[in-house]
Amino acid sequence: MAEIVGAYFTSHVPGIGGAIQRGDQQTPYWKPFFDGFPPVREWLAAVRPDIAVVFSNDHGLNFFLDTMPTFAVGAAAEYRNADEGWGLPLYKPVKGHPALSWHVIEQLVADEFDPVTCQAMLVDHAIAIPLELAWPDVTEWPVKLVPIGINTVQHPLPSARRCLALGRSVHRALSSWGGDERIVVIGTGGLSHQLDGERAGFMNPDFDRFCLDHLAADPDALTHLSVHDIVRLAGTQGVEVLNWIAARGALGPGAVEIHRNYHLPISNTAAATMLLEPA
Ligand code: DHB
Ligand code: FE
């Protein structure tokens, strides 16, 4: 029986990649953010996952505004990293787990989700940065990847309720997977940020705290908000919290918080990191 060892959540600001490249982790600007990661690395070393099911959003690399799937599941044997224009270093390719990807897809379709299935997919900073933060300096990623993309970019976006239900469907798939792997669920992006328009630079610590405080014990509390409420409260790109909500669903019914870090600003983003374990 496969085991879901827990869930790791983090913001995925591209500037983090530049900070890592320059070795800026201990500078006053970056230290409060990077200080959130030693506990993440220690926890990962202890729970030893060999598969990562990652909920994130594509930023124009696989899908652009002309073709925008609401939900997309990767089913590739390997995922190359590419940079959609930030000037970031390219990270190592990530091995896939096509059999588990198809098992997840089968469950999602059985549960009446209709994802786009991607037998070729690139990964952008939304996956590469969280992996690099979790496992710096490894020569090969220790996990195989099952990437699940959620449209947080072009409206209409899926509701928070729908994303939590999607995650719960993925949980059913992981629970019925016959392998003996150890699985970590990852949610990336957020928390509050807005990159464009009149409110560029908008962040909302009160709303972020509400999300962080409810994620483990009462994720349904986050689903009473409409997407437009979330945009208003978290910013146009703060809707990436939908990735966190879906990942929380995939962890399973009960969860306990074992680590949290929150710091703003990192670039234009209120950055958060969290670890949850199954209750
Ligand atoms: C920033 C944050 C993001 O989530 C992203 O995808 C791109 C940029 C930022 O704050 O700079
Ligand atoms: Fe983003």
Side-chain angles (χ1 to χ4, degrees), residues 12 57 59 125 193 240:
H12 62 217
N57 57 296
H59 295 74
H125 70 273
H193 63 301
E240 289 175 348

Side-chain angles (χ1 to χ4, degrees), residues 12-14 57 59 125-126 152 188-190 193 195 237 240 243 269:
H12 62 217
V13 179
N57 57 296
H59 295 74
H125 70 273
T152 66
T188 94
H193 63 301
L195 303 178
Q237 282 72 36
E240 289 175 348
N243 303 330
T269 297

Side-chain angles (χ1 to χ4, degrees), residues 3-249:
E3 186 186 346
I4 302 172
V5 296
Y8 153 48
F9 303 83
T10 187
S11 305
H12 62 217
V13 179
I16 298 163
I20 293 170
Q21 192 178 26
R22 294 188 302 275
D24 277 354
Q25 291 92 330
Q26 293 306 311
T27 61
Y29 184 86
W30 289 102
K31 185 173 164 33
F33 171 72
F34 281 98
D35 278 354
F37 285 87
V40 173
R41 294 170 195 146
E42 283 158 29
W43 178 76
L44 287 166
V47 297
R48 292 175 292 102
D50 28 40
I51 296 176
V53 176
V54 182
F55 293 83
S56 67
N57 57 296
D58 184 78
H59 295 74
L61 197 60
N62 297 282
F63 314 119
F64 200 57
L65 303 180
D66 53 352
T67 307
M68 186 59 71
T70 301
F71 300 123
V73 182
E78 185 177 84
Y79 303 89
R80 280 188 303 109
N81 177 217
D83 175 25
E84 72 274 22
W86 301 100
L88 296 175
L90 286 186
Y91 297 102
K92 305 169 279 293
V94 199
K95 288 208 163 48
H97 196 313
L100 180 56
S101 288
W102 285 112
H103 180 74
V104 167
I105 291 162
E106 294 274 0
Q107 182 69 57
L108 286 172
V109 174
D111 287 338
E112 299 182 350
F113 291 90
D114 304 302
V116 169
T117 55
C118 305
Q119 297 184 61
M121 199 188 234
L122 297 167
V123 298
D124 73 10
H125 70 273
I127 292 180
I129 298 277
L131 293 184
E132 187 65 20
L133 284 165
W135 293 285
D137 310 321
V138 293
T139 51
E140 204 176 317
W141 301 117
V143 285
K144 292 181 172 169
L145 177 66
V146 174
I148 302 179
I150 297 177
N151 171 26
T152 66
V153 172
Q154 174 154 271
H155 292 255
L157 311 184
S159 68
R161 185 189 313 278
R162 184 79 174 146
C163 291
L164 187 60
L166 175 93
R168 286 174 172 156
S169 175
V170 171
H171 178 75
R172 281 191 284 282
L174 302 181
S175 302
S176 66
W177 175 243
D180 59 1
E181 295 94 342
R182 301 168 64 77
I183 302 172
V184 64
V185 174
I186 302 180
T188 94
L191 288 178
S192 58
H193 63 301
Q194 172 145 345
L195 303 178
D196 50 3
E198 283 178 12
R199 290 202 311 168
F202 173 79
M203 290 169 230
N204 186 348
D206 289 337
F207 180 66
D208 292 338
R209 193 170 313 105
F210 169 78
C211 293
L212 293 168
D213 285 349
H214 287 85
L215 193 69
D218 185 16
D220 289 277
L222 307 181
T223 68
H224 303 145
L225 298 162
S226 72
V227 160
H228 292 100
D229 290 335
I230 298 175
V231 167
R232 199 161 28 76
L233 289 163
T236 42
Q237 282 72 36
V239 286
E240 289 175 348
V241 73
L242 293 173
N243 303 330
W244 287 50
I245 293 169
R248 170 64 190 85

Side-chain angles (χ1 to χ4, degrees), residues 246-268:
R248 170 64 190 85
L251 177 60
V256 286
E257 178 179 333
I258 57 169
H259 173 62
R260 175 195 299 205
N261 190 45
Y262 181 79
H263 174 70
L264 83 177
I266 291 298
S267 184
N268 291 295

